[in-house]
Amino acid sequence: MRFAKIKVCASKEFMTECRTLGIMKNWKEENDSLKATFKFKNFIEAWAFMSKVAMVAEKMNHHPIWSNVYNQVEISLSTHDAGNTVTDLDRELAEKIDKLI
């Protein structure tokens, strides 16, 4: 069962440490999700970013909830198998997404 391998982290401590290290600065944790909004020059750049995220997410078998309107992409991450809360898997995907920018 996938749930047994998922670790739920203390969110405030983790996000504080990330900000101190200058990583995951696009993300905020709210309502048991990691959320970020990314803005691009135009729709083509936004769509290209989403394509890159899709490849990473598929390799991880961990897929975001997201939306796209013109040059803006909103992403929400949580882990269904852990009761729709934020886990290390979400944090790992968020870090990988940030590296695509």
Side-chain angles (χ1 to χ4, degrees), residues 34-87:
L34 279 179
K35 297 182 179 186
T37 300
F38 299 90
K39 291 188 179 180
F40 299 91
K41 183 178 175 183
N42 54 42
F43 178 75
I44 298 296
E45 287 186 10
W47 195 267
F49 169 73
M50 290 178 71
S51 294
K52 291 175 189 175
V53 171
M55 297 300 288
V56 171
E58 187 64 19
K59 285 181 183 176
M60 291 180 65
N61 193 30
H62 191 58
H63 305 93
I65 296 170
W66 58 5
S67 66
N68 164 244
V69 177
Y70 183 58
N71 68 335
Q72 186 169 298
V73 177
E74 293 180 1
I75 300 177
S76 178
L77 303 173
S78 65
T79 302
H80 175 75
D81 292 346
N84 293 316
T85 190
V86 176
T87 67

Side-chain angles (χ1 to χ4, degrees), residues 81-96:
D81 292 346
N84 293 316
T85 190
V86 176
T87 67
D88 283 345
L89 198 55
D90 303 298
R91 297 183 202 293
E92 180 182 348
L93 181 53
E95 287 181 46
K96 288 181 178 187

Side-chain angles (χ1 to χ4, degrees), residues 9-30 33-36 86-87 90-91 94-95 98:
C9 295
S11 62
K12 287 184 181 181
E13 292 85 3
F14 182 84
M15 294 307 287
T16 300
E17 183 178 337
C18 284
R19 283 185 176 54
T20 301
L21 296 172
I23 57 176
M24 290 182 58
K25 54 190 166 197
N26 295 313
W27 299 87
K28 61 182 174 180
E29 190 164 338
E30 62 182 32
S33 296
L34 279 179
K35 297 182 179 186
V86 176
T87 67
D90 303 298
R91 297 183 202 293
E95 287 181 46
D98 277 353

